[in-house]
PDB file of all heavy atoms in Angstrom:
ATOM      1  N   PHE A   1      -4.797   2.531 -12.301  1.00  0.00           N
ATOM      2  CA  PHE A   1      -3.754   2.715 -11.307  1.00  0.00           C
ATOM      3  C   PHE A   1      -3.276   1.380 -10.775  1.00  0.00           C
ATOM      4  O   PHE A   1      -4.072   0.470 -10.553  1.00  0.00           O
ATOM      5  CB  PHE A   1      -4.294   3.572 -10.156  1.00  0.00           C
ATOM      6  CG  PHE A   1      -3.403   3.606  -8.951  1.00  0.00           C
ATOM      7  CD1 PHE A   1      -2.276   4.406  -8.920  1.00  0.00           C
ATOM      8  CD2 PHE A   1      -3.695   2.832  -7.846  1.00  0.00           C
ATOM      9  CE1 PHE A   1      -1.454   4.439  -7.813  1.00  0.00           C
ATOM     10  CE2 PHE A   1      -2.888   2.854  -6.725  1.00  0.00           C
ATOM     11  CZ  PHE A   1      -1.765   3.661  -6.713  1.00  0.00           C
ATOM     12  N   VAL A   2      -1.960   1.264 -10.546  1.00  0.00           N
ATOM     13  CA  VAL A   2      -1.370   0.055  -9.989  1.00  0.00           C
ATOM     14  C   VAL A   2      -0.749   0.319  -8.623  1.00  0.00           C
ATOM     15  O   VAL A   2      -1.119  -0.309  -7.626  1.00  0.00           O
ATOM     16  CB  VAL A   2      -0.308  -0.548 -10.926  1.00  0.00           C
ATOM     17  CG1 VAL A   2       0.307  -1.799 -10.307  1.00  0.00           C
ATOM     18  CG2 VAL A   2      -0.919  -0.879 -12.278  1.00  0.00           C
ATOM     19  N   VAL A   3       0.202   1.250  -8.559  1.00  0.00           N
ATOM     20  CA  VAL A   3       0.941   1.502  -7.328  1.00  0.00           C
ATOM     21  C   VAL A   3       1.591   2.876  -7.401  1.00  0.00           C
ATOM     22  O   VAL A   3       1.885   3.374  -8.489  1.00  0.00           O
ATOM     23  CB  VAL A   3       2.016   0.408  -7.102  1.00  0.00           C
ATOM     24  CG1 VAL A   3       3.019   0.387  -8.247  1.00  0.00           C
ATOM     25  CG2 VAL A   3       2.717   0.576  -5.770  1.00  0.00           C
ATOM     26  N   CYS A   4       1.832   3.485  -6.234  1.00  0.00           N
ATOM     27  CA  CYS A   4       2.552   4.751  -6.178  1.00  0.00           C
ATOM     28  C   CYS A   4       3.474   4.763  -4.971  1.00  0.00           C
ATOM     29  O   CYS A   4       3.335   3.953  -4.047  1.00  0.00           O
ATOM     30  CB  CYS A   4       1.598   5.948  -6.145  1.00  0.00           C
ATOM     31  SG  CYS A   4       0.442   5.963  -4.759  1.00  0.00           S
ATOM     32  N   ILE A   5       4.424   5.709  -4.974  1.00  0.00           N
ATOM     33  CA  ILE A   5       5.419   5.785  -3.919  1.00  0.00           C
ATOM     34  C   ILE A   5       5.787   7.243  -3.676  1.00  0.00           C
ATOM     35  O   ILE A   5       5.852   8.043  -4.603  1.00  0.00           O
ATOM     36  CB  ILE A   5       6.667   4.940  -4.282  1.00  0.00           C
ATOM     37  CG1 ILE A   5       7.639   4.857  -3.106  1.00  0.00           C
ATOM     38  CG2 ILE A   5       7.344   5.490  -5.534  1.00  0.00           C
ATOM     39  CD1 ILE A   5       8.739   3.816  -3.318  1.00  0.00           C
ATOM     40  N   SER A   6       6.029   7.575  -2.405  1.00  0.00           N
ATOM     41  CA  SER A   6       6.373   8.936  -2.029  1.00  0.00           C
ATOM     42  C   SER A   6       7.796   9.280  -2.443  1.00  0.00           C
ATOM     43  O   SER A   6       8.576   8.420  -2.864  1.00  0.00           O
ATOM     44  CB  SER A   6       6.210   9.114  -0.517  1.00  0.00           C
ATOM     45  OG  SER A   6       7.114   8.283   0.190  1.00  0.00           O
ATOM     46  N   ARG A   7       8.144  10.562  -2.311  1.00  0.00           N
ATOM     47  CA  ARG A   7       9.498  11.000  -2.655  1.00  0.00           C
ATOM     48  C   ARG A   7      10.557  10.293  -1.830  1.00  0.00           C
ATOM     49  O   ARG A   7      11.611   9.906  -2.352  1.00  0.00           O
ATOM     50  CB  ARG A   7       9.622  12.516  -2.476  1.00  0.00           C
ATOM     51  CG  ARG A   7       8.808  13.339  -3.456  1.00  0.00           C
ATOM     52  CD  ARG A   7       9.008  14.826  -3.209  1.00  0.00           C
ATOM     53  NE  ARG A   7       8.234  15.639  -4.136  1.00  0.00           N
ATOM     54  CZ  ARG A   7       7.004  16.069  -3.901  1.00  0.00           C
ATOM     55  NH1 ARG A   7       6.397  15.768  -2.767  1.00  0.00           N
ATOM     56  NH2 ARG A   7       6.381  16.810  -4.816  1.00  0.00           N
ATOM     57  N   SER A   8      10.288  10.113  -0.547  1.00  0.00           N
ATOM     58  CA  SER A   8      11.246   9.466   0.337  1.00  0.00           C
ATOM     59  C   SER A   8      11.283   7.952   0.167  1.00  0.00           C
ATOM     60  O   SER A   8      12.266   7.308   0.545  1.00  0.00           O
ATOM     61  CB  SER A   8      10.928   9.798   1.792  1.00  0.00           C
ATOM     62  OG  SER A   8       9.708   9.210   2.186  1.00  0.00           O
ATOM     63  N   GLY A   9      10.215   7.378  -0.367  1.00  0.00           N
ATOM     64  CA  GLY A   9      10.083   5.938  -0.452  1.00  0.00           C
ATOM     65  C   GLY A   9       9.473   5.306   0.780  1.00  0.00           C
ATOM     66  O   GLY A   9       9.259   4.090   0.804  1.00  0.00           O
ATOM     67  N   ASP A  10       9.172   6.103   1.785  1.00  0.00           N
ATOM     68  CA  ASP A  10       8.634   5.583   3.038  1.00  0.00           C
ATOM     69  C   ASP A  10       7.157   5.232   2.962  1.00  0.00           C
ATOM     70  O   ASP A  10       6.672   4.441   3.773  1.00  0.00           O
ATOM     71  CB  ASP A  10       8.840   6.592   4.164  1.00  0.00           C
ATOM     72  CG  ASP A  10      10.294   6.765   4.537  1.00  0.00           C
ATOM     73  OD1 ASP A  10      11.095   5.844   4.271  1.00  0.00           O
ATOM     74  OD2 ASP A  10      10.638   7.817   5.101  1.00  0.00           O
ATOM     75  N   ASN A  11       6.440   5.817   2.007  1.00  0.00           N
ATOM     76  CA  ASN A  11       5.008   5.593   1.884  1.00  0.00           C
ATOM     77  C   ASN A  11       4.675   5.043   0.506  1.00  0.00           C
ATOM     78  O   ASN A  11       5.129   5.570  -0.512  1.00  0.00           O
ATOM     79  CB  ASN A  11       4.236   6.887   2.127  1.00  0.00           C
ATOM     80  CG  ASN A  11       4.446   7.445   3.522  1.00  0.00           C
ATOM     81  OD1 ASN A  11       5.042   8.504   3.703  1.00  0.00           O
ATOM     82  ND2 ASN A  11       3.950   6.713   4.520  1.00  0.00           N
ATOM     83  N   THR A  12       3.881   3.980   0.498  1.00  0.00           N
ATOM     84  CA  THR A  12       3.428   3.363  -0.743  1.00  0.00           C
ATOM     85  C   THR A  12       1.938   3.072  -0.656  1.00  0.00           C
ATOM     86  O   THR A  12       1.374   2.960   0.435  1.00  0.00           O
ATOM     87  CB  THR A  12       4.179   2.058  -1.028  1.00  0.00           C
ATOM     88  OG1 THR A  12       3.988   1.155   0.072  1.00  0.00           O
ATOM     89  CG2 THR A  12       5.671   2.325  -1.197  1.00  0.00           C
ATOM     90  N   TYR A  13       1.313   2.940  -1.821  1.00  0.00           N
ATOM     91  CA  TYR A  13      -0.107   2.626  -1.882  1.00  0.00           C
ATOM     92  C   TYR A  13      -0.345   1.750  -3.099  1.00  0.00           C
ATOM     93  O   TYR A  13       0.136   2.049  -4.195  1.00  0.00           O
ATOM     94  CB  TYR A  13      -0.949   3.898  -1.956  1.00  0.00           C
ATOM     95  CG  TYR A  13      -2.431   3.648  -1.943  1.00  0.00           C
ATOM     96  CD1 TYR A  13      -3.090   3.345  -0.762  1.00  0.00           C
ATOM     97  CD2 TYR A  13      -3.178   3.707  -3.117  1.00  0.00           C
ATOM     98  CE1 TYR A  13      -4.445   3.111  -0.744  1.00  0.00           C
ATOM     99  CE2 TYR A  13      -4.542   3.468  -3.109  1.00  0.00           C
ATOM    100  CZ  TYR A  13      -5.167   3.172  -1.911  1.00  0.00           C
ATOM    101  OH  TYR A  13      -6.518   2.942  -1.895  1.00  0.00           O
ATOM    102  N   TYR A  14      -1.106   0.660  -2.916  1.00  0.00           N
ATOM    103  CA  TYR A  14      -1.345  -0.315  -3.965  1.00  0.00           C
ATOM    104  C   TYR A  14      -2.828  -0.440  -4.269  1.00  0.00           C
ATOM    105  O   TYR A  14      -3.672  -0.332  -3.371  1.00  0.00           O
ATOM    106  CB  TYR A  14      -0.820  -1.689  -3.547  1.00  0.00           C
ATOM    107  CG  TYR A  14       0.658  -1.718  -3.258  1.00  0.00           C
ATOM    108  CD1 TYR A  14       1.147  -1.369  -2.004  1.00  0.00           C
ATOM    109  CD2 TYR A  14       1.564  -2.101  -4.236  1.00  0.00           C
ATOM    110  CE1 TYR A  14       2.504  -1.394  -1.740  1.00  0.00           C
ATOM    111  CE2 TYR A  14       2.923  -2.135  -3.977  1.00  0.00           C
ATOM    112  CZ  TYR A  14       3.382  -1.781  -2.729  1.00  0.00           C
ATOM    113  OH  TYR A  14       4.731  -1.815  -2.468  1.00  0.00           O
ATOM    114  N   SER A  15      -3.145  -0.703  -5.521  1.00  0.00           N
ATOM    115  CA  SER A  15      -4.511  -1.030  -5.866  1.00  0.00           C
ATOM    116  C   SER A  15      -4.880  -2.369  -5.227  1.00  0.00           C
ATOM    117  O   SER A  15      -4.015  -3.212  -4.959  1.00  0.00           O
ATOM    118  CB  SER A  15      -4.694  -1.095  -7.377  1.00  0.00           C
ATOM    119  OG  SER A  15      -4.006  -2.203  -7.922  1.00  0.00           O
ATOM    120  N   ALA A  16      -6.176  -2.572  -4.997  1.00  0.00           N
ATOM    121  CA  ALA A  16      -6.619  -3.801  -4.353  1.00  0.00           C
ATOM    122  C   ALA A  16      -6.255  -5.041  -5.164  1.00  0.00           C
ATOM    123  O   ALA A  16      -6.004  -6.112  -4.598  1.00  0.00           O
ATOM    124  CB  ALA A  16      -8.134  -3.748  -4.121  1.00  0.00           C
ATOM    125  N   SER A  17      -6.197  -4.912  -6.476  1.00  0.00           N
ATOM    126  CA  SER A  17      -5.942  -6.057  -7.332  1.00  0.00           C
ATOM    127  C   SER A  17      -4.506  -6.565  -7.254  1.00  0.00           C
ATOM    128  O   SER A  17      -4.247  -7.718  -7.609  1.00  0.00           O
ATOM    129  CB  SER A  17      -6.284  -5.722  -8.786  1.00  0.00           C
ATOM    130  OG  SER A  17      -5.477  -4.661  -9.266  1.00  0.00           O
ATOM    131  N   VAL A  18      -3.563  -5.730  -6.796  1.00  0.00           N
ATOM    132  CA  VAL A  18      -2.157  -6.140  -6.751  1.00  0.00           C
ATOM    133  C   VAL A  18      -1.588  -6.170  -5.340  1.00  0.00           C
ATOM    134  O   VAL A  18      -0.478  -6.679  -5.150  1.00  0.00           O
ATOM    135  CB  VAL A  18      -1.271  -5.248  -7.641  1.00  0.00           C
ATOM    136  CG1 VAL A  18      -1.829  -5.174  -9.050  1.00  0.00           C
ATOM    137  CG2 VAL A  18      -1.121  -3.858  -7.036  1.00  0.00           C
ATOM    138  N   LYS A  19      -2.304  -5.638  -4.375  1.00  0.00           N
ATOM    139  CA  LYS A  19      -1.803  -5.585  -3.004  1.00  0.00           C
ATOM    140  C   LYS A  19      -1.490  -6.993  -2.504  1.00  0.00           C
ATOM    141  O   LYS A  19      -2.281  -7.916  -2.655  1.00  0.00           O
ATOM    142  CB  LYS A  19      -2.819  -4.919  -2.090  1.00  0.00           C
ATOM    143  CG  LYS A  19      -2.298  -4.644  -0.687  1.00  0.00           C
ATOM    144  CD  LYS A  19      -3.315  -3.862   0.131  1.00  0.00           C
ATOM    145  CE  LYS A  19      -2.778  -3.526   1.509  1.00  0.00           C
ATOM    146  NZ  LYS A  19      -3.761  -2.751   2.307  1.00  0.00           N
ATOM    147  N   GLY A  20      -0.314  -7.149  -1.894  1.00  0.00           N
ATOM    148  CA  GLY A  20       0.136  -8.436  -1.404  1.00  0.00           C
ATOM    149  C   GLY A  20       0.948  -9.220  -2.409  1.00  0.00           C
ATOM    150  O   GLY A  20       1.625 -10.187  -2.034  1.00  0.00           O
ATOM    151  N   ARG A  21       0.897  -8.832  -3.680  1.00  0.00           N
ATOM    152  CA  ARG A  21       1.654  -9.494  -4.731  1.00  0.00           C
ATOM    153  C   ARG A  21       2.755  -8.604  -5.309  1.00  0.00           C
ATOM    154  O   ARG A  21       3.809  -9.098  -5.694  1.00  0.00           O
ATOM    155  CB  ARG A  21       0.733  -9.946  -5.863  1.00  0.00           C
ATOM    156  CG  ARG A  21      -0.355 -10.916  -5.415  1.00  0.00           C
ATOM    157  CD  ARG A  21      -1.143 -11.460  -6.596  1.00  0.00           C
ATOM    158  NE  ARG A  21      -1.857 -10.402  -7.313  1.00  0.00           N
ATOM    159  CZ  ARG A  21      -1.631 -10.067  -8.577  1.00  0.00           C
ATOM    160  NH1 ARG A  21      -0.706 -10.706  -9.286  1.00  0.00           N
ATOM    161  NH2 ARG A  21      -2.338  -9.101  -9.145  1.00  0.00           N
ATOM    162  N   PHE A  22       2.493  -7.301  -5.386  1.00  0.00           N
ATOM    163  CA  PHE A  22       3.463  -6.345  -5.925  1.00  0.00           C
ATOM    164  C   PHE A  22       4.091  -5.558  -4.785  1.00  0.00           C
ATOM    165  O   PHE A  22       3.426  -5.259  -3.784  1.00  0.00           O
ATOM    166  CB  PHE A  22       2.800  -5.358  -6.885  1.00  0.00           C
ATOM    167  CG  PHE A  22       2.306  -5.948  -8.177  1.00  0.00           C
ATOM    168  CD1 PHE A  22       2.238  -7.314  -8.381  1.00  0.00           C
ATOM    169  CD2 PHE A  22       1.896  -5.101  -9.198  1.00  0.00           C
ATOM    170  CE1 PHE A  22       1.777  -7.844  -9.572  1.00  0.00           C
ATOM    171  CE2 PHE A  22       1.431  -5.613 -10.396  1.00  0.00           C
ATOM    172  CZ  PHE A  22       1.371  -6.982 -10.587  1.00  0.00           C
ATOM    173  N   THR A  23       5.350  -5.189  -4.951  1.00  0.00           N
ATOM    174  CA  THR A  23       6.056  -4.344  -4.004  1.00  0.00           C
ATOM    175  C   THR A  23       6.888  -3.329  -4.766  1.00  0.00           C
ATOM    176  O   THR A  23       7.662  -3.697  -5.644  1.00  0.00           O
ATOM    177  CB  THR A  23       6.984  -5.159  -3.086  1.00  0.00           C
ATOM    178  OG1 THR A  23       6.234  -6.168  -2.403  1.00  0.00           O
ATOM    179  CG2 THR A  23       7.647  -4.246  -2.060  1.00  0.00           C
ATOM    180  N   ILE A  24       6.723  -2.048  -4.434  1.00  0.00           N
ATOM    181  CA  ILE A  24       7.476  -1.002  -5.113  1.00  0.00           C
ATOM    182  C   ILE A  24       8.541  -0.452  -4.170  1.00  0.00           C
ATOM    183  O   ILE A  24       8.331  -0.357  -2.960  1.00  0.00           O
ATOM    184  CB  ILE A  24       6.558   0.125  -5.620  1.00  0.00           C
ATOM    185  CG1 ILE A  24       7.317   1.054  -6.576  1.00  0.00           C
ATOM    186  CG2 ILE A  24       5.947   0.911  -4.471  1.00  0.00           C
ATOM    187  CD1 ILE A  24       6.432   2.018  -7.330  1.00  0.00           C
ATOM    188  N   SER A  25       9.685  -0.086  -4.732  1.00  0.00           N
ATOM    189  CA  SER A  25      10.772   0.471  -3.946  1.00  0.00           C
ATOM    190  C   SER A  25      11.592   1.433  -4.796  1.00  0.00           C
ATOM    191  O   SER A  25      11.494   1.444  -6.025  1.00  0.00           O
ATOM    192  CB  SER A  25      11.672  -0.632  -3.388  1.00  0.00           C
ATOM    193  OG  SER A  25      12.270  -1.371  -4.442  1.00  0.00           O
ATOM    194  N   ARG A  26      12.386   2.247  -4.118  1.00  0.00           N
ATOM    195  CA  ARG A  26      13.322   3.148  -4.794  1.00  0.00           C
ATOM    196  C   ARG A  26      14.744   2.647  -4.595  1.00  0.00           C
ATOM    197  O   ARG A  26      15.109   2.188  -3.511  1.00  0.00           O
ATOM    198  CB  ARG A  26      13.210   4.562  -4.238  1.00  0.00           C
ATOM    199  CG  ARG A  26      11.917   5.286  -4.571  1.00  0.00           C
ATOM    200  CD  ARG A  26      11.942   6.701  -3.998  1.00  0.00           C
ATOM    201  NE  ARG A  26      10.735   7.457  -4.305  1.00  0.00           N
ATOM    202  CZ  ARG A  26      10.566   8.213  -5.384  1.00  0.00           C
ATOM    203  NH1 ARG A  26      11.541   8.316  -6.284  1.00  0.00           N
ATOM    204  NH2 ARG A  26       9.428   8.866  -5.565  1.00  0.00           N
ATOM    205  N   ASP A  27      15.545   2.727  -5.636  1.00  0.00           N
ATOM    206  CA  ASP A  27      16.968   2.434  -5.561  1.00  0.00           C
ATOM    207  C   ASP A  27      17.695   3.731  -5.885  1.00  0.00           C
ATOM    208  O   ASP A  27      17.916   4.059  -7.050  1.00  0.00           O
ATOM    209  CB  ASP A  27      17.362   1.327  -6.526  1.00  0.00           C
ATOM    210  CG  ASP A  27      18.786   0.855  -6.312  1.00  0.00           C
ATOM    211  OD1 ASP A  27      19.629   1.645  -5.879  1.00  0.00           O
ATOM    212  OD2 ASP A  27      19.052  -0.338  -6.590  1.00  0.00           O
ATOM    213  N   SER A  28      18.045   4.485  -4.855  1.00  0.00           N
ATOM    214  CA  SER A  28      18.644   5.801  -5.057  1.00  0.00           C
ATOM    215  C   SER A  28      19.988   5.719  -5.773  1.00  0.00           C
ATOM    216  O   SER A  28      20.326   6.596  -6.571  1.00  0.00           O
ATOM    217  CB  SER A  28      18.809   6.508  -3.715  1.00  0.00           C
ATOM    218  OG  SER A  28      17.559   6.753  -3.109  1.00  0.00           O
ATOM    219  N   ALA A  29      20.772   4.672  -5.488  1.00  0.00           N
ATOM    220  CA  ALA A  29      22.079   4.521  -6.113  1.00  0.00           C
ATOM    221  C   ALA A  29      21.962   4.365  -7.624  1.00  0.00           C
ATOM    222  O   ALA A  29      22.825   4.827  -8.375  1.00  0.00           O
ATOM    223  CB  ALA A  29      22.825   3.345  -5.509  1.00  0.00           C
ATOM    224  N   LYS A  30      20.909   3.698  -8.081  1.00  0.00           N
ATOM    225  CA  LYS A  30      20.685   3.488  -9.507  1.00  0.00           C
ATOM    226  C   LYS A  30      19.727   4.507 -10.109  1.00  0.00           C
ATOM    227  O   LYS A  30      19.504   4.499 -11.320  1.00  0.00           O
ATOM    228  CB  LYS A  30      20.141   2.084  -9.752  1.00  0.00           C
ATOM    229  CG  LYS A  30      21.097   0.964  -9.369  1.00  0.00           C
ATOM    230  CD  LYS A  30      20.482  -0.391  -9.651  1.00  0.00           C
ATOM    231  CE  LYS A  30      21.425  -1.519  -9.292  1.00  0.00           C
ATOM    232  NZ  LYS A  30      20.810  -2.848  -9.545  1.00  0.00           N
ATOM    233  N   ASN A  31      19.151   5.368  -9.270  1.00  0.00           N
ATOM    234  CA  ASN A  31      18.167   6.356  -9.716  1.00  0.00           C
ATOM    235  C   ASN A  31      16.998   5.667 -10.421  1.00  0.00           C
ATOM    236  O   ASN A  31      16.624   6.023 -11.546  1.00  0.00           O
ATOM    237  CB  ASN A  31      18.805   7.399 -10.635  1.00  0.00           C
ATOM    238  CG  ASN A  31      17.904   8.588 -10.875  1.00  0.00           C
ATOM    239  OD1 ASN A  31      17.167   9.020  -9.991  1.00  0.00           O
ATOM    240  ND2 ASN A  31      17.950   9.143 -12.085  1.00  0.00           N
ATOM    241  N   THR A  32      16.411   4.672  -9.751  1.00  0.00           N
ATOM    242  CA  THR A  32      15.300   3.932 -10.322  1.00  0.00           C
ATOM    243  C   THR A  32      14.163   3.786  -9.323  1.00  0.00           C
ATOM    244  O   THR A  32      14.353   3.907  -8.120  1.00  0.00           O
ATOM    245  CB  THR A  32      15.715   2.528 -10.782  1.00  0.00           C
ATOM    246  OG1 THR A  32      16.203   1.776  -9.669  1.00  0.00           O
ATOM    247  CG2 THR A  32      16.785   2.598 -11.861  1.00  0.00           C
ATOM    248  N   VAL A  33      12.987   3.515  -9.858  1.00  0.00           N
ATOM    249  CA  VAL A  33      11.811   3.134  -9.096  1.00  0.00           C
ATOM    250  C   VAL A  33      11.355   1.794  -9.645  1.00  0.00           C
ATOM    251  O   VAL A  33      11.067   1.682 -10.840  1.00  0.00           O
ATOM    252  CB  VAL A  33      10.695   4.181  -9.207  1.00  0.00           C
ATOM    253  CG1 VAL A  33       9.438   3.698  -8.491  1.00  0.00           C
ATOM    254  CG2 VAL A  33      11.155   5.505  -8.621  1.00  0.00           C
ATOM    255  N   ASP A  34      11.293   0.781  -8.782  1.00  0.00           N
ATOM    256  CA  ASP A  34      11.210  -0.599  -9.245  1.00  0.00           C
ATOM    257  C   ASP A  34      10.042  -1.350  -8.618  1.00  0.00           C
ATOM    258  O   ASP A  34      10.061  -1.635  -7.417  1.00  0.00           O
ATOM    259  CB  ASP A  34      12.496  -1.349  -8.919  1.00  0.00           C
ATOM    260  CG  ASP A  34      13.733  -0.607  -9.381  1.00  0.00           C
ATOM    261  OD1 ASP A  34      13.722  -0.070 -10.503  1.00  0.00           O
ATOM    262  OD2 ASP A  34      14.720  -0.565  -8.618  1.00  0.00           O
ATOM    263  N   PRO A  35       9.024  -1.694  -9.410  1.00  0.00           N
ATOM    264  CA  PRO A  35       7.986  -2.603  -8.909  1.00  0.00           C
ATOM    265  C   PRO A  35       8.411  -4.055  -9.062  1.00  0.00           C
ATOM    266  O   PRO A  35       8.742  -4.492 -10.167  1.00  0.00           O
ATOM    267  CB  PRO A  35       6.775  -2.289  -9.791  1.00  0.00           C
ATOM    268  CG  PRO A  35       7.155  -1.085 -10.614  1.00  0.00           C
ATOM    269  CD  PRO A  35       8.644  -1.098 -10.694  1.00  0.00           C
ATOM    270  N   GLN A  36       8.411  -4.793  -7.956  1.00  0.00           N
ATOM    271  CA  GLN A  36       8.612  -6.233  -7.975  1.00  0.00           C
ATOM    272  C   GLN A  36       7.239  -6.888  -8.027  1.00  0.00           C
ATOM    273  O   GLN A  36       6.424  -6.692  -7.122  1.00  0.00           O
ATOM    274  CB  GLN A  36       9.371  -6.690  -6.737  1.00  0.00           C
ATOM    275  CG  GLN A  36       9.534  -8.200  -6.624  1.00  0.00           C
ATOM    276  CD  GLN A  36      10.409  -8.770  -7.703  1.00  0.00           C
ATOM    277  OE1 GLN A  36      11.478  -8.229  -7.988  1.00  0.00           O
ATOM    278  NE2 GLN A  36       9.973  -9.856  -8.324  1.00  0.00           N
ATOM    279  N   MET A  37       6.977  -7.654  -9.061  1.00  0.00           N
ATOM    280  CA  MET A  37       5.667  -8.236  -9.300  1.00  0.00           C
ATOM    281  C   MET A  37       5.762  -9.741  -9.157  1.00  0.00           C
ATOM    282  O   MET A  37       6.397 -10.414  -9.975  1.00  0.00           O
ATOM    283  CB  MET A  37       5.151  -7.846 -10.682  1.00  0.00           C
ATOM    284  CG  MET A  37       5.222  -6.348 -10.959  1.00  0.00           C
ATOM    285  SD  MET A  37       4.398  -5.848 -12.486  1.00  0.00           S
ATOM    286  CE  MET A  37       5.350  -6.780 -13.695  1.00  0.00           C
TER     287      MET A  37
END
């Protein structure tokens, strides 16, 4: 497991190995879910 995100995008959870370095977000306009690493 790396990261997950809720339907709304308001809640996220990261594995300890990536927390603080990775950020996940939703782009509704593009219909994407995007981890920034």
Side-chain angles (χ1 to χ4, degrees):
F1 169 78
V2 179
V3 61
C4 59
I5 188 169
S6 64
R7 292 181 180 91
S8 67
D10 292 337
N11 298 113
T12 58
Y13 183 78
Y14 300 85
S15 69
S17 62
V18 307
K19 188 175 183 179
R21 301 187 297 117
F22 292 11
T23 304
I24 192 168
S25 62
R26 291 182 179 270
D27 189 330
S28 296
K30 296 180 179 179
N31 192 36
T32 61
V33 175
D34 309 317
Q36 176 66 46
M37 309 188 299

